[in-house]
Amino acid sequence: GENVEQHPSTLSVQEGDSAVIKCTYSDSASNYFPWYKQELGKRPQLIIDIRSNVGEKKDQRIAVTLNKTAKHFSLHITETQPEDSAVYFCAASTKWGIVEAGTALIFGKGTTLSVSS
Amino acid sequence: NAGVTQTPKFQVLKTGQSMTLQCAQDMNHNSMYWYRQDPGMGLRLIYYSASEGTTDKGEVPNGYNVSRLNKREFSLRLESAAPSQTSVYFCASRSGLRNTGELFFGEGSRLTVL
């Protein structure tokens, strides 16, 4: 099955700096890679995603890059702000189980980002 | 639109007791999932249901059972709770028609097993 590794586990930056979180995956058939942000005590929420036929995607201060050959993808946050402080999870969508159409998101262990002002 | 609703939000059990976590979604999604979240371990898939009438084991299925009651509802049952099952449980759903759909989460259920 799919295995997703995420680094670093913690990241501290100054307000205005950039932050980069990296993930690797094992299943070459995975074709969808979302990033979720989870604030303390809240549910994870999608912030950006990328499909396997795309190399890079941007949405204002956040961007995601995908290298299918190397099986890794990264989240880039520029001009960080204190409200970016949260736990970030990467995930890979892969076929899972015996049902023919069955797919599941497998998550990395998360990165706790702290942005200090 | 309520999205994904799960109950209860908090529960304390004694070792050996049983309980069922309930989940319902109103987005007409085909696929539903149960994850558990533990510090430093991320979100781990317990069971999922690709469509009504099907269920499959995830990464950490031991000690759990599930029921896809209908298209809207997907429940998670702990038959004999153990302290190792102390965790935050999230139900989630996605369209399932494509492998690239957004996963929507419920608010979570915090379970403590003494």
Side-chain angles (χ1 to χ4, degrees):
Chain A
E2 176 67 280
N3 183 49
V4 178
E5 299 282 343
Q6 182 172 347
H7 298 280
S9 56
T10 60
L11 181 58
S12 296
V13 299
Q14 292 284 327
E15 184 177 1
D17 287 350
S18 295
V20 180
I21 303 171
K22 298 182 179 182
C23 290
T24 60
Y25 61 99
S26 61
D27 185 355
S28 57
S30 292
N31 61 356
Y32 172 67
F33 307 92
W35 287 87
Y36 283 79
K37 176 182 180 182
Q38 185 180 30
E39 297 176 346
L40 191 63
K42 302 283 184 66
R43 74 188 86 186
Q45 294 197 299
L46 179 72
I47 55 171
I48 195 167
D49 57 16
I50 191 167
R51 289 159 176 74
S52 58
N53 58 347
V54 176
E56 183 176 1
K57 182 178 179 180
K58 289 183 180 180
D59 182 3
Q60 300 183 341
R61 295 187 296 108
I62 61 173
V64 58
T65 58
L66 171 64
N67 183 327
K68 283 195 66 178
T69 303
K71 290 191 279 189
H72 68 70
F73 55 113
S74 300
L75 177 71
H76 304 252
I77 306 174
T78 58
E79 301 173 25
T80 54
Q81 301 168 3
E83 51 265 38
D84 293 329
S85 297
V87 180
Y88 292 81
F89 293 99
C90 63
S93 186
T94 184
K95 184 174 182 339
W96 189 281
I98 62 174
V99 176
E100 184 175 344
T103 62
L105 282 184
I106 302 302
F107 286 82
K109 288 183 167 57
T111 297
T112 300
L113 173 64
S114 299
V115 181
S116 54
S117 55
Chain B
N1 260 355
V4 180
T5 303
Q6 54 181 110
T7 57
K9 288 187 169 49
F10 300 94
Q11 184 73 50
V12 178
L13 292 177
K14 295 181 179 178
T15 296
Q17 288 184 318
S18 62
M19 76 158 298
T20 299
L21 298 174
Q22 307 285 355
C23 176
Q25 51 90 10
D26 62 3
M27 295 175 282
N28 200 35
H29 286 167
N30 291 305
S31 300
M32 298 185 72
Y33 306 81
W34 278 104
Y35 289 88
R36 62 177 287 176
Q37 183 175 24
D38 304 290
M41 298 300 291
L43 293 152
R44 292 183 291 171
L45 181 66
I46 305 172
Y47 268 93
Y48 87 105
S49 171
S51 60
E52 186 177 354
T54 70
T55 60
D56 251 314
K57 294 179 180 179
E59 300 169 279
V60 289
N62 291 346
Y64 305 96
N65 284 302
V66 289
S67 295
R68 183 73 182 266
L69 304 170
N70 47 55
K71 191 170 185 178
R72 291 187 63 250
E73 298 173 288
F74 187 40
S75 63
L76 178 72
R77 183 162 178 83
L78 287 69
E79 291 290 352
S80 179
S84 61
Q85 294 178 303
T86 293
S87 187
V88 179
Y89 292 85
F90 285 98
C91 178
S93 70
R94 68 193 288 197
S95 173
L97 293 179
R98 300 171 296 147
N99 191 23
T100 57
E102 178 179 353
L103 191 65
F104 293 86
F105 286 89
E107 290 185 314
S109 299
R110 183 174 295 276
L111 175 65
T112 301
V113 183
L114 303 175

